[in-house]
Amino acid sequence: MAVQRTKPLPAQPRHGVEDGLRARILMVDDHRPNLLALEAILSPLGEELVGVTSGEDALRQLLDGEFALILMDVQMPGMDGIETAAVIKQRERNRSTPIIFLTAIAKDPSFIFKGYSQGAVDYLLKPFDPEILRTKVSVFVDLWRRGELIKRQAAMLRAQELRELERRSEVRFHALTDSMPQCVWAARRDGEIYYCNRVWREYAGADAGLSFFGAVPADELPAVQAAWGGAIRGGRGLEREQRLRRHDGELRWHLCRVVPEHDEHGAVVGWIATATDIDHQKRVEEAHAALLLREQEARALLEEANRSKDEFLATVSHELRTPLNAILGWTRMLRTGALEGEEKLRRALETIERNARVQTQLVDDILDVSRIIAGKLRVQVRRIDLRSVILAAVDAVRPAAEAKQLEIVLDLRDEASDFHGDPDRLQQVVWNLLSNAIKFTPGKGKVAIGLQRWNGHVEIVVADTGMGIAHDFLPHVFDRFRQADSSSTRMQGGLGLGLAIVRHLVEVHGGTVRAESEGEGQGARFTVRLPVRQIQDQPLENEAALGNATHLEAVKPVEPVSLARMRVLVVDDDPDARELVRVMLATYGAEVLVAASADEAMEVIARGPVDALVSDIGLPSEDGYALIRRVRALPATARLPALALTAYASVADQRRALESGFQRHVTKPVEPAELAAVLATMVAEARARAAGSGAPAAPPPLSLAAASRG
């Protein structure tokens, strides 16, 4: 709290009143009676007295204004006088303010020397003589007053000089420069401004300073001063784009031009400078540059994407044409009768079937990647036996391993068998890793697969003794469409999708997959880590809408069934596909009727009852969805067993088919026995319902959705 006296005693002299200068004296003492005593001693001087009781209050007073002298007690709670003086002297504005320390305690010479080192001009020990204190204060007040008078005189002289200079240049500059939209100023060699126009004054403000350097950002000042110095030394002009600080602190770009001003003898007497605001143009240029950079980056990404797309399409074309070549070649040989003997015939059929399955796998991989990119791939988590999942994958790849005489080594720990996850997707993970290992392991090598539980995780490890992975390719081994050798001379085929699918399927289970290799020819090791957690089995999405055909379980071998005494209508616009299904079903004893369109199908139904409908989705004029709606609209066929047999294999396609009225959704290609089993089940269920029985007369329905892979 400050104690302030602004009125001197009437009977005392009033120093400084005549010239309008009254000194401000700051008194700092935590003992209020001492402040009153100091006030009584100094009041006769007629100056403005301000008293505070702490060092913190003293610093706040110094922030509000300047003082001619500070009287400060040394011993104070909180910040003592020595600490307060040190803080005061750190501030440029108060560095020259004299401080007199007053104390009755700290009389030790070292302590006194410390006070002087902090900027004290005197050190008085209490009790002191009031007259002596008043005299010393008067001396410093007089020194302050003289300094202020000198400053005033200097300011007056400078003002007079500026008025003279302005008067001399007024004819040349005043009317012209004040009407210009640019900032204009005249400066000396050191950059000191002795004239400026209205625009610069309005831009820089009243506190613009005497040099335009004050408007330059601190980090850019050395470069500006260097450019200015070069122009001065060379006596030449200067042009520079420069940011200048406005009075409100905003930095704006200006085009600064400086030209020398010559007298009648050609000597340089000053420098005329203009600054044109180009901030808008500069920001537009910067925006254009950033836009150009982004456009170049986008173009580079697009070109890279186009290259990847072209490489992918070329690879897809190669991979699809290779099995097609085998299928068409062996088919033509069969048609021409070039193959004689049961063994050659069996070999041809096995080759055709094997290459057809290769094509199916390629299409499945592409569909999986499409679902991953679209974020539509889902997993159905439930309690599973992880060892059984791995063994099923091993059984699937065993023929390929035996063909290359590869040894498959199993190390599956029982304690890691109990797990929660999607069995089909995890089997797909293991199958892809094993297939990859078999593909890149030369004959008579070894592929090992291990399962163990460790630190809250289960680990599936697939290791091989094959070709290995180059160190520079390891970071990209799980990228889509990336292959270590994508040239036309590569030794192994494939789309480069299998490992990308593995990584995604592992990540949706909350796990990680890591690839390791000592280098080319040193084999490879893939480690899948999956967290062990207690998860409730998840019901299938929209189970009520999907009926009984949505379980993504692996298709198991089915027992032979008979379709005798069944009339089945097959609808497909493709003659070959239609004939294939007709032969399949006829082989199992069904009476098969065929139609190539929705209208033909309705005509067949109108001629006589049928027991089941098998329809393609992609039909001319009206598709399979429209056909099933027309079928369901008739009372006689409202409950007709209907199966969608289509190449549209996504989950969305499956859902749409079931919601449209089909009871089952089966994707092409399909095994004849499986198709017959599904039809037998559907018809048996329909007949049981018609007879008033709630239990089907056949085994539970099978699901062939998305070729058992979702």
Side-chain angles (χ1 to χ4, degrees):
M1 178 177 179
V3 180
Q4 183 167 320
R5 292 287 183 272
T6 57
K7 278 189 158 184
L9 297 175
Q12 301 301 326
R14 298 167 61 92
H15 300 285
V17 174
E18 295 79 13
D19 52 22
L21 292 174
R22 291 184 62 213
R24 300 181 74 217
I25 301 173
L26 179 61
M27 305 176 299
V28 187
D29 197 309
D30 63 310
H31 196 49
R32 199 172 298 278
N34 289 344
L35 289 176
L36 295 176
L38 287 172
E39 181 181 0
I41 293 171
L42 299 179
S43 290
L45 298 179
E47 309 300 343
E48 181 179 349
L49 304 178
V50 178
V52 295
T53 58
S54 68
E56 291 82 358
D57 288 341
L59 295 176
R60 279 191 283 270
Q61 288 293 331
L62 288 168
L63 291 175
D64 294 337
E66 296 185 5
F67 289 86
L69 176 66
I70 300 174
L71 301 175
M72 188 177 304
D73 186 26
V74 174
Q75 296 293 332
M76 292 186 294
M79 291 180 65
D80 62 21
I82 301 296
E83 294 172 340
T84 305
V87 175
I88 292 173
K89 293 302 181 180
Q90 289 175 0
R91 189 166 180 242
E92 182 67 29
R93 177 178 173 183
N94 306 120
R95 190 164 292 169
S96 60
T97 303
I99 300 174
I100 297 178
F101 284 116
L102 306 175
T103 182
I105 301 175
K107 301 179 180 181
D108 183 79
S110 61
F111 202 84
I112 295 174
F113 291 150
K114 184 177 180 182
Y116 281 114
S117 68
Q118 297 299 333
V121 298
D122 207 344
Y123 203 102
L124 297 181
L125 301 177
K126 300 176 183 178
F128 47 77
D129 189 292
E131 191 60 33
I132 293 176
L133 176 62
R134 194 162 37 243
T135 301
K136 290 190 175 187
V137 170
S138 297
V139 170
F140 287 109
V141 168
D142 288 339
L143 288 173
W144 173 84
R145 183 171 289 110
R146 290 175 186 176
E148 290 298 312
L149 289 174
I150 291 173
K151 288 181 182 178
R152 284 192 176 188
Q153 291 172 359
M156 292 173 61
L157 290 174
R158 179 165 183 78
Q160 183 178 356
E161 180 184 357
L162 288 175
R163 283 196 298 271
E164 288 296 323
L165 290 172
E166 188 173 0
R167 191 177 303 114
R168 262 189 298 156
S169 61
E170 184 175 0
V171 175
R172 291 173 295 174
F173 296 116
H174 195 273
L176 176 62
T177 58
D178 277 354
S179 64
M180 293 173 64
Q182 296 96 341
C183 301
V184 180
W185 62 83
R188 297 187 176 90
R189 290 179 60 88
D190 59 359
E192 182 183 2
I193 296 174
Y194 60 82
Y195 169 78
C196 60
N197 71 340
R198 172 187 55 82
V199 178
W200 174 250
R201 289 193 296 269
E202 292 176 353
Y203 183 84
D207 300 329
L210 303 176
S211 171
F212 74 90
F213 291 135
V216 177
D219 58 335
E220 302 174 16
L221 187 57
V224 174
Q225 290 175 330
W228 172 267
I232 296 297
R233 289 189 297 272
R236 62 180 184 274
L238 173 65
E239 182 171 309
R240 178 184 178 88
E241 291 183 354
Q242 180 59 50
R243 294 190 304 164
L244 298 177
R245 185 182 296 104
R246 200 165 61 184
H247 62 84
D248 59 0
E250 181 183 355
L251 293 172
R252 296 183 64 83
W253 283 99
H254 287 75
L255 176 61
C256 299
R257 292 190 175 95
V258 181
V259 296
E261 181 185 8
H262 302 276
D263 61 11
E264 60 274 13
H265 304 292
V268 177
V269 296
W271 298 83
I272 305 300
T274 63
T276 305
D277 192 318
I278 59 169
D279 193 74
H280 177 71
Q281 299 94 305
K282 193 71 174 178
R283 295 187 186 278
V284 169
E285 291 175 5
E286 292 174 351
H288 284 171
L291 186 62
L292 178 60
L293 179 61
R294 289 196 297 271
E295 188 271 337
Q296 291 172 344
E297 293 174 349
R299 181 180 300 150
L301 291 174
L302 181 60
E303 290 174 354
E304 177 64 25
N306 280 334
R307 283 194 297 271
S308 299
K309 179 199 68 176
D310 293 340
E311 292 175 2
F312 172 66
L313 291 177
T315 303
V316 169
S317 175
H318 173 270
E319 295 301 319
L320 291 177
R321 286 176 181 272
T322 298
L324 273 177
N325 180 65
I327 293 171
L328 291 175
W330 284 103
T331 302
R332 289 193 182 109
M333 293 180 71
L334 288 172
R335 291 188 61 188
T336 58
L339 300 177
E340 296 180 358
E342 188 69 23
E343 179 61 27
K344 290 184 178 180
L345 181 61
R346 184 185 60 80
R347 181 183 173 193
L349 293 176
E350 287 178 352
T351 303
I352 292 172
E353 181 180 6
R354 183 171 59 253
N355 282 275
R357 292 187 184 279
V358 168
Q359 277 204 321
T360 301
Q361 183 61 49
L362 292 173
V363 173
D364 285 342
D365 285 348
I366 294 172
L367 289 176
D368 275 345
V369 169
S370 175
R371 295 186 191 103
I372 290 170
I373 294 174
K376 295 182 178 179
L377 189 141
R378 298 290 183 266
V379 296
Q380 301 295 339
V381 177
R382 56 182 178 270
R383 188 169 184 173
I384 62 174
D385 182 351
L386 199 51
R387 291 179 76 254
S388 299
V389 170
I390 295 174
L391 289 173
V394 171
D395 289 340
V397 300
R398 194 179 297 279
E402 291 175 350
K404 297 181 70 174
Q405 296 183 338
L406 299 180
E407 179 186 1
I408 297 181
V409 180
L410 301 178
D411 181 15
L412 309 179
R413 309 291 177 84
D414 290 336
E415 67 272 11
S417 182
D418 191 20
F419 190 72
H420 280 81
D422 186 320
D424 302 316
R425 293 304 183 180
L426 292 176
Q427 181 176 334
Q428 187 178 353
V429 167
V430 178
W431 182 91
N432 271 325
L433 292 177
L434 287 173
S435 298
N436 188 74
I438 292 171
K439 180 191 297 185
F440 293 102
T441 301
K444 298 183 180 180
K446 183 170 69 174
V447 175
I449 180 167
L451 171 65
Q452 64 177 348
R453 185 163 183 161
W454 180 79
N455 196 21
H457 290 74
V458 294
E459 284 191 352
I460 303 172
V461 180
V462 177
D464 62 67
T465 59
M467 298 170 56
I469 306 171
H471 289 297
D472 58 347
F473 187 71
L474 266 177
H476 309 289
V477 73
F478 294 104
D479 293 350
R480 291 194 297 268
F481 313 129
R482 291 294 294 268
Q483 293 177 319
D485 181 8
S486 58
S487 66
S488 60
T489 59
R490 60 186 178 145
M491 298 179 62
Q492 303 294 338
L495 301 179
L497 298 177
L499 293 180
I501 295 171
V502 165
R503 181 176 63 178
H504 184 80
L505 293 179
V506 170
E507 288 176 351
V508 298
H509 279 83
T512 60
V513 59
R514 181 178 73 254
E516 300 170 286
S517 178
E518 296 298 324
E520 296 185 19
Q522 301 297 315
R525 176 187 176 93
F526 290 83
T527 303
V528 175
R529 295 191 71 207
L530 299 170
V532 177
R533 54 172 72 103
Q534 293 297 324
I535 305 177
Q536 292 184 351
D537 296 350
Q538 296 182 1
L540 295 181
E541 184 179 357
N542 293 333
E543 187 170 356
L546 299 182
N548 296 321
T550 60
H551 294 284
L552 307 181
E553 298 177 355
V555 177
K556 301 175 182 178
V558 296
E559 295 296 330
V561 297
S562 173
L563 302 182
R565 298 187 302 279
M566 289 188 191
R567 300 183 80 226
V568 181
L569 172 59
V570 176
V571 185
D572 199 312
D573 62 317
D574 184 78
D576 293 337
R578 187 170 63 243
E579 178 63 15
L580 175 62
V581 177
R582 187 192 69 78
V583 172
M584 283 183 181
L585 299 181
T587 302
Y588 288 90
E591 178 187 349
V592 183
L593 308 174
V594 295
S597 66
D599 288 338
E600 288 185 19
M602 297 306 296
E603 291 176 3
V604 172
I605 292 174
R607 288 198 295 266
V610 295
D611 296 305
L613 170 67
V614 177
S615 176
D616 187 22
I617 294 298
L619 298 175
S621 300
E622 290 183 288
D623 59 18
Y625 304 127
L627 171 60
I628 193 62
R629 284 193 290 270
R630 291 174 64 180
V631 169
R632 295 297 180 225
L634 298 177
T637 56
R639 296 181 177 274
L640 177 67
L643 179 149
L645 179 60
T646 175
Y648 293 109
S650 71
V651 174
D653 295 324
Q654 178 186 11
R655 182 179 298 107
R656 184 179 179 188
L658 298 175
E659 290 174 349
S660 298
F662 289 101
Q663 282 101 347
R664 299 290 190 278
H665 175 274
V666 177
T667 56
K668 300 176 181 178
V670 62
E671 294 287 343
E674 295 169 350
L675 178 60
V678 173
L679 271 179
T681 300
M682 293 173 60
V683 173
E685 289 176 346
R687 289 175 176 174
R689 284 194 298 270
S693 172
L702 300 176
S703 166
L704 309 178
S708 78
R709 297 183 53 182

